[in-house]
Amino acid sequence: MAPTAERLGRILLVLAGFLAIALLPASSASAGPPATRVAYATGEIVPIPASVPHEEGDMVDRRIVPDLRWIAAHFPIYVTDGYSGPLPDGEHVGCHMCHVKGSDHYNGLAVDVVPLRGTIGKCDPTWAGITRLAEWAEPTQNHPVAPFRWVGYDGDAGHGCGNHLHLSWGHAAAPMFQLAEWVEVFAVSGEAGRRSRHQRPKRGKTPPAPPPGPAGGISTFRSGGISARGD
Ligand SMILES: [Zn+2]
């Protein structure tokens, strides 16, 4: 019996469904890290290690340092800015007045990167590695993959090939110049066993309270909502 147009249509639909399922893992395989976790460890603004090429004096929250190390080992990055704000001793680090209101740079949970040994101010092949990193962190515009919460590159004003790539890590809301209660990070080698996404510490385990920071310096803040972007 010859299949009717309706039956043919149904068969095609089923085939399309199988194809979609078969192709899905392949198309998303290169996007973002395979697993993330929420780090409740006490934050601290620390110098970026030498293994992550960076501008002299740049600092970040220590909880994103393992991720930065991994990124630097896989992509040719040069960090031009991390934490921007005062330290407990009153010294100011990072680019002053460079970032938007609510920027994650004010919490030490964002970095701006350009190519290591690349052309600054011009989009040329030296940016290929940074473009690859941007696409890994945000395969579709405005849909960053965890743990990234905002990725600024092509399509975002003041960012992009030839300018810079901004990467923000997801974190608990925190006011300017305060450390976030938690930060979402991705698992890097040496953290084997922590494979699940959004793994949280066991209930009842409270993170140790940080010492109170002096006025004007960075200290820990616990709370709720978060701004839309953090460039
Ligand atoms: Zn930035």
Side-chain angles (χ1 to χ4, degrees), residues 126-208:
T126 65
W127 284 79
I130 300 299
T131 301
R132 213 160 30 86
L133 171 56
E135 287 169 354
W136 176 78
E138 188 183 64
T140 312
Q141 177 68 3
N142 296 330
H143 296 280
V145 294
F148 303 107
R149 89 167 192 90
W150 198 75
V151 173
Y153 202 59
D154 291 342
D156 301 303
H159 298 78
C161 180
N163 193 316
H164 76 278
L165 164 66
H166 169 107
L167 293 175
S168 276
W169 275 250
H171 63 87
M176 217 174 173
F177 312 142
Q178 308 254 356
L179 294 167
E181 182 190 2
W182 55 261
V183 184
E184 190 172 8
V185 294
F186 57 87
V188 293
S189 55
E191 289 190 329
R194 317 194 75 150
R195 306 298 298 169
S196 69
R197 274 189 182 263
H198 304 277
Q199 185 180 348
R200 284 165 194 272
K202 288 187 183 74
R203 279 193 181 277
K205 190 179 170 245
T206 4

